[in-house]
Amino acid sequence: MTALSITINGKAHGPTEVRDDLSMNDFLREHLGMTGTKFGCGAAQCLSCAVIVDAPDGTSSTSPTCVVSAASFNGMAIRTVEGHATDGELTVLQKAFIEHFAFQCGYCTAGFLNEGQVLLERLAKTPVARDGLEALITEALDGHLCRCTGYIKYHEAVRDVILADPKRYLV
């Protein structure tokens, strides 16, 4: 057993005793009722379960939750899909996903949204040249699987958010 203390979407949780083999996905869904993070393949191959991990240095990355224990997130700060909108107001990226109908069944959307958000935050700190943008988006979203084949729409939505604010994201 581990006494798990974690910050999720800016709110501290714990310490809560959890089994060492409890996945973070199960902790989010079963203990906290946060069902936006999906369980897809159970092998960290589809990344429907990806959450954002905020490092102390201000950088962020995504992590699967289906094969990673909740205990391994002890002391960390993470963001889930539930943490994007503020007071019911969708983020620019969420709005772009809707405008592009960048989802069909929506199962993989949380993982794509979290990965897209990490990319936007990275580009806000380290902008890139326009000619490298397409490859960068493809690389960022690579590994996320969509059974409904929404890849192009996800890519277009992320690109349009970046291109709508080129002074922030591009050099």
Side-chain angles (χ1 to χ4, degrees):
M1 297 289 281
T2 296
L4 175 64
S5 293
I6 187 169
T7 301
I8 303 172
N9 301 326
K11 182 180 176 191
H13 294 271
T16 304
E17 289 290 322
V18 297
R19 295 183 335 265
D20 290 333
D21 65 345
L22 179 71
S23 74
M24 178 51 96
N25 192 282
D26 287 344
F27 178 75
L28 291 169
R29 297 177 65 78
E30 296 172 15
H31 290 260
L32 300 180
M34 300 178 80
T35 58
T37 301
K38 303 300 184 204
F39 181 88
C41 66
Q45 297 299 305
C46 74
L47 299 177
S48 294
C49 66
V51 295
I52 300 172
V53 178
D54 293 316
D57 68 0
T59 62
S60 58
S61 61
T62 58
S63 173
T65 60
C66 67
V67 297
V68 181
S69 71
S72 69
F73 286 88
N74 193 33
M76 293 185 175
I78 68 168
R79 288 178 277 160
T80 68
V81 69
E82 290 93 345
H84 287 271
T86 304
D87 297 324
E89 179 66 25
L90 299 179
T91 66
V92 173
L93 186 58
Q94 287 174 307
K95 290 175 184 175
F97 275 28
I98 292 169
E99 290 166 9
H100 284 271
F101 197 68
F103 53 86
Q104 286 182 34
C105 77
Y107 208 82
C108 64
T109 304
F112 275 103
L113 183 66
N114 287 335
E115 198 70 61
Q117 184 62 41
V118 166
L119 176 61
L120 293 177
E121 291 169 10
R122 188 174 88 210
L123 291 178
K125 292 177 183 178
T126 310
V128 298
R130 171 65 176 100
D131 63 354
L133 183 59
E134 300 300 325
L136 186 66
I137 296 169
T138 299
E139 179 184 325
L141 301 180
D142 187 41
H144 289 265
L145 299 181
C146 173
R147 293 179 180 152
C148 302
T149 66
Y151 298 111
I152 292 170
K153 294 177 181 186
Y154 285 118
H155 184 104
E156 290 172 345
V158 172
R159 181 187 61 220
D160 284 359
V161 168
I162 294 166
L163 293 179
D165 196 355
K167 290 181 181 176
R168 182 175 186 188
Y169 300 116
L170 302 175
V171 289

